[in-house]
Amino acid sequence: MSLISTILRRLVLLVFVVAGVAIITFTISHLIPGDPAQLIAGDKASAQTLAHVRQELGLDKPVTQQFVIYVKQLLSGDLGQSLRTRRPVAGDIALFLPATLELGIAALVMAIMIGVPLGVLSAIYKDGPVDQAARVVSVAGISMPVFWFGLALILLFYVKIPILPGSGRITLGIAAPPRITGFFLVDSLVAGDLKAFWSSLYHLVLPAFVLAFANLGIITRQIRASMLDVLQEDYVRTARANGLSRSAVILRHALPNALIPSVTLLGLAFGDLLYGAVLTETIFAWPGMGSYVVSSIQTLDFPAVMGFTIVASLGYVLINLAVDLTYMVLDPQIRELG
Amino acid sequence: MLLRRLPTFAAFAALTALTFAGPSWATDKDVLVIDKAEDPPTADPGVEVSNNGYTLIFPAYERLVKYDGAKTEVIPELAESWTTAPDNLSWTFKLASGHMFDDGSPVDAAAVKYSFDRVKKLAAGPGDMFPTVKDVVIVDPRTVKFELSAPFAPFLSALATSAGSIINPKAQEHAVNGDDAKAWLAEHTAGSGAFKISAWERNQQITLDPNPHYAGKKPAFKQVIFKIVREMSSRRLQLENGDADLIDQVPVDQAEAMKSSAGVVIESNPSLYVIYLYLNNKKAPFDNPKVRQAISYAADYKGLVDGVMQGQAEQMRGAVPDGMWGHDPQGMQYSYDLEKAKQLLADAGVSNLHISFTYSQADSAWEPVGLALQASLAEIGVTMDMKNVADTTKRELVAKGDYDIATGAWTPDFADPFMFMNIWFDPTKMGAPGNRAFYENPKVTDLITQALATVDQKKREQLYIDAQKITNEDAPYVLLFQKNDIFAMRSSVKGYVYNPMLIQVYNIADMSKSE
């Protein structure tokens, strides 16, 4: 099956996934007892005020009608208005998503940069000290609660040895770069503002590491396992027999092949990172989607919660598609089998 | 290769670290940094009903009258004087001169009219502060008259709330699709207060700059920054490290732990925030006052104040809390007396009672309160199930009367016993509007209705105290305790004045830093 047809098939599937997610989230959020109007108008609101707010938000209409209105809006690309902040949900997501993505990508890069070499070394020196150390790191990463680990690192690097900032995206007093992508690192470079760039990079270190650490173990173990498999293969033995140096065999022949099964994992890991970001963002006061969603859920801000869920499901499907496509490019066999 | 470069990289990292770990911004004498737990929803006086939003609204807007320092009585702010018609149906205010909005235009009668017309038209929560305002009339540029459809005794006090903020009519230029500038005023301010919002990065920080045209004394701070830090531990570390000057929403256990931190001052003041329980008066057996009294005797008030609240609270004595006029210092208090409770249940002919306790995690005191009550009730043969639900769900269940016992918390919006007496006990306000115990006693109804139509405060006070004598006896609510308001700040912060009406509102125009 060709690349094009795979993409087309997946895009059709995407429509169904998003529709399904929309129906499920809408149903759940309207089944939960709770009156958003009460939250907006306050505890002491009179009956008239409540009725007015409900009418203004369209909450007085039957649920089915509300759903039809929502879908109509959705089809025109409108995610509705947040009940809490009175701002367009799409605008809020556009505002907070880049911060989460920047954190997630930084964490992924960190996890790969540490995890891949660690996995390779573990495989080469199987059962040696490096391998044992890597095993400890993996187990710690998987089992350590993000919340606890984050606070411990803040305590160490912000309080005891104060070399890293404990919260936020940029130092107070340094202006955020003009918004282009919403990624502070990219925007500050585009603006040529090195001070903002360093400050943002600096603020990324701890939260990205906390986030990366949880996935580090999985990546290390996966690379180690596939590397061990590959090292058994005939072509590796042949290459070595042909007199190629050990490092050349590993880097040029074994590693690329060992990386293929890891691509799927990286895609999944990225999804996990975005999910783990909710906690990390809370601890590090990182103004991303995590804190936005938590506040929205607490205030029964249906449009915001739904908007987020839909965007997140879209993201998930697209990441999976990207993973599969990378796979097909890396391994022509899969392309043929389809 | 890579390993050989590592030391270079480490040195570089350390160097960058040193560059950025320099003196923290918060120690600047003319900048105040306040860490807040949540991003304020909006800064619009016409829609905002949360103290979190008031944090921004109070310093940015002036009102006709304001609370006098730490007291709950009002004094002139924009209005220099006022008169009331003998029938209490109209109030005329004379505006002081010299007050200007942040764009330099003067605060006049038209602005007052615009602000109140807007609040009324939006008909959101703040509109309920002025239930009987019929019309606002411009008499001349410096005189404005409010016409009421019925006398409303707490009127003056209500003018001092966030809802009474005077907005620059020019804000209307930002209106889109007939929203009365709601979208714009949600994140911008247009007032005559000491500060104005200069930047709002959602979920991150809000920056306030001084209003150059402010009529009062020039503030000590050239900037006030509110940082949004959700996690309590992070807020605490920031304060202790000096990156924040003040943090709000400090739980009692953390306050206790921070007492030993160097350079940190814990501000703990008796507030008007009360924690109590709703008893469902329209449902058997709680329709019997004896059963309600029995439950009131089963709460271990002292144990809750000392244990759960670590002493940062005070048992209530009637519905009107201590610190507000209308409070009855001789009011009857229930005590922890299981024998009496048992006897009352027997008198009521109730046995094998099985009830539920509906609560949420919105207030950390609720769960321990429920568990303590559950244990006490078990001793007198009452089984109580703990029903933990989401806070929004709890509100809905309580509003519908779908509960036995449920948790409640209340703060007054303005300094008048109206906020407790007329809202909790008025049978026309059953359910969501406030009388969530579904209580009705014609004698009480009569007293509180009279009190609302009377202007003489002495007479009103007596009426409210008389009503409380009856409600204490009827026990529609279990009146637990009023909490202290706790926050923490650096010892360098000077000039903070606590007013129980202004929770999460900091008088930043009068505050300063000594370092």
Side-chain angles (χ1 to χ4, degrees):
Chain A
M1 193 172 282
S2 73
L3 275 177
I4 309 276
S5 73
T6 308
I7 294 174
L8 283 178
R9 206 165 45 119
R10 288 302 200 81
L11 290 181
V12 173
L13 193 66
L14 185 89
V15 175
F16 285 103
V17 170
V18 172
V21 166
I23 292 170
I24 293 168
T25 2
F26 191 90
T27 313
I28 292 175
S29 50
H30 283 76
L31 279 180
I32 299 171
D35 185 357
Q38 178 93 61
L39 282 155
I40 287 162
D43 261 340
K44 294 143 196 160
S46 65
Q48 300 95 287
T49 303
L50 281 177
H52 179 262
V53 172
R54 249 177 240 133
Q55 187 205 345
E56 202 182 42
L57 300 173
L59 295 167
D60 55 338
K61 297 190 174 76
V63 177
T64 44
Q65 207 181 329
Q66 288 184 47
F67 185 67
V68 171
I69 295 171
Y70 187 79
V71 170
K72 272 189 194 155
Q73 278 182 346
L74 206 58
L75 289 177
S76 62
D78 180 2
L79 291 176
Q81 203 189 30
S82 155
L83 302 180
R84 184 170 54 101
T85 63
R86 311 291 172 109
R87 294 149 45 92
V89 171
D92 276 352
I93 291 176
L95 190 64
F96 299 126
L97 192 60
T100 301
L101 287 180
E102 188 172 36
L103 180 62
I105 291 171
L108 188 65
V109 169
M110 239 186 225
I112 292 173
M113 273 173 39
I114 306 171
V116 172
L118 206 58
V120 172
L121 289 175
S122 297
I124 300 172
Y125 305 109
K126 188 167 173 273
D127 295 329
V130 176
D131 191 23
Q132 300 293 1
R135 190 170 290 140
V136 172
V137 169
S138 305
V139 173
I142 295 164
S143 52
M144 203 131 56
V146 166
F147 210 78
W148 181 87
F149 187 52
L151 282 175
L153 285 189
I154 292 180
L155 208 57
L156 183 63
F157 292 110
Y158 171 68
V159 180
K160 299 287 175 214
I161 318 164
I163 52 165
L164 286 169
S167 77
R169 283 182 89 183
I170 198 160
T171 311
L172 266 188
I174 295 180
R179 194 180 181 84
I180 304 164
T181 58
F183 285 47
F184 277 14
L185 289 184
V186 177
D187 291 355
S188 57
L189 280 185
V190 172
D193 185 349
L194 278 184
K195 214 169 148 194
F197 176 80
W198 284 117
S199 178
S200 323
L201 186 64
Y202 209 55
H203 278 77
L204 253 176
V205 176
L206 275 190
F209 182 70
V210 168
L211 206 46
F213 197 66
N215 283 274
L216 190 60
I218 304 168
I219 292 177
T220 311
R221 300 313 284 171
Q222 169 71 41
I223 294 283
R224 178 183 180 273
S226 51
M227 196 70 187
L228 283 176
D229 284 346
V230 172
L231 288 175
Q232 310 285 319
E233 296 283 338
D234 290 342
Y235 64 87
V236 172
R237 255 179 290 163
T238 314
R240 201 177 290 170
N242 282 345
L244 272 175
S245 77
R246 190 178 156 86
S247 63
V249 170
I250 288 167
L251 291 178
R252 236 176 286 153
H253 296 276
L255 186 59
N257 285 304
L259 279 178
I260 294 176
S262 308
V263 172
T264 319
L265 184 83
L266 292 182
L268 291 176
F270 190 60
D272 277 356
L273 286 176
L274 296 185
Y275 164 77
V278 174
L279 280 179
T280 316
E281 285 178 7
T282 307
I283 306 165
F284 288 94
W286 192 266
M289 284 308 299
S291 37
Y292 178 69
V293 170
V294 172
S295 309
S296 304
I297 291 172
Q298 277 169 351
T299 48
L300 285 188
D301 192 344
F302 300 143
V305 175
M306 292 203 50
F308 169 76
T309 323
I310 288 172
V311 170
S313 59
L314 251 172
Y316 230 89
V317 175
L318 289 179
I319 288 173
N320 270 312
L321 179 59
V323 165
D324 290 352
L325 293 180
T326 323
Y327 227 88
M328 291 172 82
V329 173
L330 283 177
D331 190 347
Q333 273 184 2
I334 295 172
R335 202 176 324 167
E336 276 154 28
L337 295 172
Chain B
M1 269 284 269
L2 195 90
L3 277 178
R4 237 177 295 144
R5 281 198 197 138
L6 199 62
T8 332
F9 179 74
F12 173 72
L15 206 71
T16 353
L18 289 174
T19 331
F20 285 100
S24 68
W25 183 252
T27 51
D28 273 8
K29 210 181 148 195
D30 47 8
V31 176
L32 183 75
V33 180
I34 299 179
D35 277 7
K36 284 187 85 62
E38 282 278 346
D39 204 21
T42 83
D44 184 349
V47 303
E48 192 49 55
V49 288
S50 73
N51 289 84
N52 198 13
Y54 298 165
T55 303
L56 303 174
I57 294 170
F58 272 86
Y61 292 93
E62 290 180 298
R63 285 140 285 270
L64 291 173
V65 293
K66 65 173 180 184
Y67 294 112
D68 182 8
K71 290 187 235 149
T72 54
E73 284 99 65
V74 298
I75 54 168
E77 186 164 40
L78 287 171
E80 60 180 20
S81 64
W82 53 86
T83 53
T84 322
D87 59 0
N88 295 321
L89 285 174
S90 80
W91 293 70
T92 308
F93 293 84
K94 192 96 195 144
L95 297 179
S97 58
H99 289 269
M100 279 182 280
F101 290 113
D102 57 20
D103 66 345
S105 52
V107 180
D108 57 9
V112 176
K113 179 172 171 56
Y114 167 74
S115 307
F116 284 90
D117 285 353
R118 183 173 180 275
V119 165
K120 202 174 164 195
K121 191 175 160 215
L122 293 180
D128 289 335
M129 298 292 159
F130 316 106
T132 67
V133 171
K134 198 172 61 187
D135 203 5
V136 183
V137 184
I138 302 170
V139 179
D140 64 55
R142 286 192 39 212
T143 314
V144 63
K145 192 167 93 179
F146 289 79
E147 288 173 352
L148 311 187
S149 58
F152 183 63
F155 183 58
L156 210 53
S157 197
L159 289 179
T161 62
S162 165
S165 299
I166 306 304
I167 305 167
N168 190 342
K170 283 192 190 144
Q172 198 60 31
E173 290 166 10
H174 298 280
V176 280
N177 308 326
D179 75 341
D180 287 288
K182 222 157 63 169
W184 191 80
L185 282 172
E187 291 183 342
H188 299 83
T189 49
S192 56
F195 287 89
K196 58 174 183 174
I197 294 178
S198 62
W200 190 334
E201 290 159 57
R202 275 284 172 185
N203 273 358
Q204 195 168 347
Q205 68 180 58
I206 305 153
T207 311
L208 302 190
D209 285 347
N211 162 13
H213 306 283
Y214 178 54
K217 199 174 109 269
K218 197 172 177 289
F221 301 119
K222 68 163 201 254
Q223 215 163 53
V224 176
I225 296 171
F226 293 96
K227 281 206 297 174
I228 315 303
V229 183
R230 293 181 70 91
E231 180 35 41
M232 174 58 213
S233 323
S234 307
R235 289 203 296 283
R236 177 179 166 183
L237 290 176
Q238 298 234 321
L239 181 76
E240 289 176 338
N241 253 22
D243 281 342
D245 296 306
L246 194 159
I247 60 172
D248 69 15
Q249 312 273 75
V250 177
V252 280
D253 54 328
Q254 293 280 340
E256 202 55 41
M258 284 171 80
K259 272 184 182 155
S260 54
S261 307
V264 170
V265 176
I266 305 291
E267 271 277 346
S268 170
N269 296 286
S271 78
L272 303 173
Y273 185 107
V274 301
I275 294 281
Y276 56 104
L277 302 177
Y278 297 109
L279 301 177
N280 194 341
N281 286 232
K282 69 170 184 187
K283 197 170 162 187
F286 300 106
D287 52 354
N288 184 342
K290 283 202 167 72
V291 176
R292 302 197 297 258
Q293 288 165 358
I295 305 287
S296 296
Y297 277 116
D300 180 3
Y301 303 92
K302 194 173 168 355
L304 293 175
V305 167
D306 293 345
V308 177
M309 298 308 295
Q310 308 207 5
Q312 302 275 15
E314 178 193 338
Q315 187 188 344
M316 288 174 78
R317 199 179 267 284
V320 179
D322 190 3
M324 184 182 282
W325 66 270
H327 172 74
D328 180 4
Q330 270 86 50
M332 178 251 194
Q333 270 182 331
Y334 284 90
S335 52
Y336 183 47
D337 191 337
L338 289 182
E339 278 313 308
K340 224 176 214 169
K342 212 170 181 175
Q343 188 56 49
L344 282 161
L345 283 182
D347 290 353
V350 171
S351 57
N352 291 327
L353 195 53
H354 194 132
I355 52 175
S356 67
F357 180 89
T358 307
Y359 72 105
S360 77
Q361 304 289 347
D363 192 300
S364 58
W366 285 339
E367 190 166 73
V369 162
L371 290 169
L373 187 65
Q374 187 183 44
S376 307
L377 289 175
E379 286 185 46
I380 56 170
V382 178
T383 314
M384 188 174 88
D385 296 329
M386 300 284 284
K387 199 168 147 193
N388 182 6
V389 294
D391 196 50
T392 46
T393 308
K394 193 211 83 180
R395 289 169 191 239
E396 175 107 341
L397 294 174
V398 172
K400 282 190 188 150
D402 192 3
Y403 71 95
D404 297 326
I405 300 181
T407 51
W410 200 256
T411 55
D413 288 331
F414 45 78
D416 196 288
F418 165 89
M419 286 307 307
F420 295 87
M421 301 304 291
N422 295 74
I423 296 184
W424 286 10
F425 303 115
D426 182 345
T428 67
K429 286 189 160 53
M430 279 186 187
N435 183 352
R436 294 170 196 160
F438 299 89
Y439 170 74
E440 181 166 12
N441 181 329
K443 266 186 277 175
V444 173
T445 312
D446 186 44
L447 287 168
I448 59 175
T449 312
Q450 267 188 58
L452 192 58
T454 311
V455 168
D456 183 341
Q457 188 168 320
K458 273 269 154 300
K459 277 189 204 149
R460 289 186 67 207
E461 184 156 23
Q462 195 51 53
L463 290 165
Y464 281 134
I465 287 177
D466 290 347
Q468 283 178 84
K469 290 204 165 82
I470 305 172
T471 56
N472 285 347
E473 196 67 34
D474 279 349
Y477 304 86
V478 181
L479 303 175
L480 294 172
F481 47 78
Q482 55 188 106
K483 288 213 286 191
N484 279 9
D485 177 52
I486 308 171
F487 67 84
M489 59 184 186
R490 303 288 312 169
S491 52
S492 56
V493 178
K494 307 288 174 208
Y496 172 72
V497 175
Y498 172 77
N499 187 305
M501 290 312 305
L502 303 173
I503 303 298
Q504 288 188 46
V505 172
Y506 308 99
N507 52 323
I508 51 178
D510 312 315
M511 286 160 70
S512 62
K513 268 159 78 174
S514 63
E515 281 165 17

